[in-house]
Structures are given as structure tokens and as C-alpha cells.
Amino acid sequence: MSDFIFLSDFLKAKFGFRVHKVSFRLNNTCPNRDGIISKGGCVFCNGKELVPKTYIKGMTPVEQIKSGIEIVKKRFKAEGI
């Protein structure tokens, strides 16, 4: 038997309910896109995908997190927080 466990299962066992991620944007650059290391990006992301759906230009990270929490609570009927 394998000792492999999904992160979602581990977090549910630890906290007693499903854990959701809340994304936020820091408005910093990526060294694989801004020319410091490269200009073409990398295999891990797409710049457009890095912007949370709830993001409005000028929002602070705290405002983004609070907004994201409310969305997750409504969409998934999330527990906690």
C-alpha cells in the first residue's frame, strides 16, 4: 500500500472540513517574464491566469483575500473562517 495522500485529503483530516485556496495578486513582476532571467515566461503559469477573478485594479492584498473568502463561502458553502 502506498503512503501517498492528496493534499486536499490531508487538509480535510487536519481541519475537519474542506480547505479552499484564495488567490491574490501582489503586482510584482516575474523574473521569467520581465527580462531579468527571460522574456518568454515558463511552463508553470500563464500571466492572465495569475489574476484572481475578484481582482479590481488598486485592491490591496487584504481586500483581495477578504473578497476571495466571501466568494468561496458563497460558491462552495465553505466552513471555517
Side-chain angles (χ1 to χ4, degrees), residues 3-23:
D3 290 336
F4 178 81
I5 183 171
F6 287 101
L7 178 60
S8 58
D9 293 334
F10 169 79
L11 293 172
K12 188 170 185 175
K14 180 170 178 70
F15 295 107
F17 50 83
R18 184 174 174 200
V19 176
H20 300 270
K21 70 178 178 180
V22 174
S23 300

Side-chain angles (χ1 to χ4, degrees), residues 29-60:
T29 61
C30 170
N32 290 315
R33 291 185 181 275
D34 66 8
I36 293 173
I37 294 174
S38 175
K39 290 185 180 178
C42 65
V43 299
F44 298 109
C45 68
N46 170 342
K48 293 177 184 176
E49 293 174 1
L50 295 177
V51 180
K53 289 181 171 67
T54 59
Y55 178 74
I56 299 170
K57 189 174 182 175
M59 289 177 81
T60 68

Side-chain angles (χ1 to χ4, degrees), residues 15 26 28 38 54 68 74 77:
F15 295 107
L26 293 176
N28 56 338
S38 175
T54 59
K74 289 176 187 174
K77 297 179 177 62

